[in-house]
Amino acid sequence: MDTTFHHHELPVEDPFTIARGTTGTADAFVVRLEREGVVGVGGGTPSAYYGESPDSVADVLPGLLAIVEDVDDPHAGQRVADRLFQRAPDAPAARAAVSSALADLAARDLEVPLYRQWGLDPEVTPSTSYTVGIAEPGEMAHRAEAAVEAGFDHLKVKLGTDDDRARFDAVREAAPDAEIRVDANEGWDADEAIEKAEWLAAAGVEFLEQPVPASDLDGLRTVAAEASLPVCADEACVTASDVPRVADACDLVTVKLMKCGGLQPALEQIHTARAHGLEVMLGCMVESNASIAPAVHLAPLVDYADLDGALLLAEDVCDGIPVQDGAFDLSAVASGTGARLVD
Ligand SMILES: [Mg+2]
């Protein structure tokens, strides 16, 4: 097995701002595996919030790729994932890059798309939302309007500022028919969240994601009990082992490959959430198609998709799964995940 990786700094279309800060470029690590003429590609984007950096990923990847070379079997995904975890438990994005590339290689070796290898139903794949980051109200309205014109009927609106009402109202006015979910990225306390949930619910918002800090589980529980909207745990629910802890404090959880460490851990987290009676959203960072494409193959298992990370980029090094009006066309994937390096 030949293994390589490259680090790319990908420019974003518009500066992407959430309650915690602004992203101007996305760090994308692209792993390429080749065995007997078959190539697999996967990606990872480190998040400082979850303890990774470009340097930490670059440091850990050679050791992870050595494991893939040692196992030397594209169909040993479980064994590889277990060994990756033992070697680098605190490097979820690095592990996601490697295990996604291996999953792509395995499905390409079998000449089937990954979702068919797993027997999943592409017909029940939820459409992705398009994220409107924090900006001046007029700019947010402009971005929302453009997204609706581009065919998206679900928007995710980032809030968690001193002036949320003006921002939200501008978006709602620009996109009166869109389904809107709101993500405060830990920007509020419980009282503030309950107050804001009232006018957000009156404006038809679907649910409220991570209104309070991840460490404030009591606050999240209070919001879930008292707010007029369903509540989603994102930063508070990193892996499957967090699900039992948050299960009575939210209505749904966000699963991301870059948080939990790849496809196998994401499957565990999805099923654990289901077993606790929770709904599931599949989310992402601002990422390359190298890491979005594998996530899309899990989307038939979830209720909501927020997999627009590659759509927010001005340039990408990989092609992915075609998106039309927010709907992923999994039938366009001949084999593997659909992530392909652009020549
Ligand atoms: Mg979120």
Side-chain angles (χ1 to χ4, degrees):
M1 182 107 61
D2 291 325
T3 67
T4 55
F5 73 89
H6 285 98
H7 173 214
H8 305 274
E9 287 182 22
L10 303 175
V12 299
E13 193 74 58
D14 297 304
F16 183 71
T17 299
I18 66 170
R20 278 191 301 270
T22 296
T23 303
T25 56
D27 286 291
F29 283 83
V30 178
V31 167
R32 182 183 183 280
L33 310 177
E34 182 168 358
R35 189 175 186 277
E36 295 176 355
V38 184
V39 173
V41 173
T45 286
S47 163
Y49 182 86
Y50 295 107
E52 288 179 286
S53 67
D55 285 347
S56 74
V57 172
D59 283 348
V60 81
L61 274 176
L64 300 185
L65 292 174
I67 291 169
V68 174
E69 291 178 22
D70 180 48
V71 174
D72 195 33
D73 179 356
H75 304 289
Q78 180 184 10
R79 196 182 323 148
V80 170
D82 287 348
R83 286 185 59 183
L84 297 180
F85 181 78
Q86 285 162 13
R87 168 106 190 191
D90 300 325
R95 286 187 283 121
V98 175
S99 57
S100 299
L102 192 71
D104 185 38
L105 183 65
R108 288 194 150 252
D109 186 53
L110 296 171
E111 300 181 342
V112 292
L114 184 59
Y115 74 88
R116 282 191 60 83
Q117 188 187 347
W118 288 340
L120 301 182
D121 181 3
E123 300 289 316
V124 298
T125 307
S127 293
T128 183
S129 54
Y130 187 88
T131 304
V132 178
I134 294 169
E136 289 306 308
E139 175 62 20
M140 289 179 73
H142 169 71
R143 292 180 191 174
E145 200 169 16
V148 169
E149 272 171 25
F152 293 94
D153 49 19
H154 291 77
L155 300 179
K156 173 143 126 180
V157 177
K158 295 289 194 179
L159 295 179
T161 71
D162 293 338
D163 201 8
D164 287 323
R165 187 74 191 253
R167 289 184 163 87
F168 178 81
D169 287 348
V171 169
R172 182 36 108 195
E173 194 182 340
D177 300 323
E179 286 278 12
I180 295 181
R181 41 200 80 153
V182 164
D183 189 354
N185 288 107
E186 313 184 286
W188 301 331
D189 63 26
D191 289 343
E192 194 179 1
I194 292 164
E195 183 265 312
K196 289 181 173 173
E198 203 151 318
W199 48 261
L200 291 169
V205 163
E206 285 181 287
F207 57 81
L208 183 54
E209 189 175 347
Q210 200 63 53
V212 299
S215 58
D216 184 10
L217 199 57
D218 288 339
L220 192 69
R221 189 177 295 108
T222 301
V223 179
E226 295 181 21
S228 3
L229 282 175
V231 169
C232 177
D234 179 1
E235 287 88 339
C237 187
V238 179
T239 71
S241 62
D242 294 314
V243 171
R245 203 171 45 84
V246 303
D248 73 343
C250 63
D251 303 286
L252 65 152
V253 298
T254 304
V255 174
K256 297 176 180 168
L257 301 194
M258 298 308 130
K259 274 196 311 191
C260 67
L263 293 163
Q264 286 87 353
L267 272 171
E268 281 174 28
Q269 195 176 0
I270 290 167
H271 291 311
T272 308
R274 288 265 181 256
H276 283 81
L278 301 170
E279 291 194 293
V280 180
M281 176 159 71
L282 201 50
C284 62
M285 313 296 179
V286 183
E287 296 172 27
S288 163
N289 277 310
S291 48
I292 295 294
V296 175
H297 291 259
L298 286 176
L301 292 170
V302 305
D303 305 283
Y304 310 96
D306 175 34
L307 294 171
D308 62 344
L311 302 171
L312 305 174
L313 297 173
E315 287 169 30
D316 198 352
V317 289
C318 274
D319 289 330
I321 300 169
V323 185
Q324 181 69 45
D325 297 339
F328 289 102
D329 183 8
L330 278 164
S331 72
V333 180
S335 69
T337 64
R340 283 299 93 186
L341 287 160
V342 178
D343 292 330

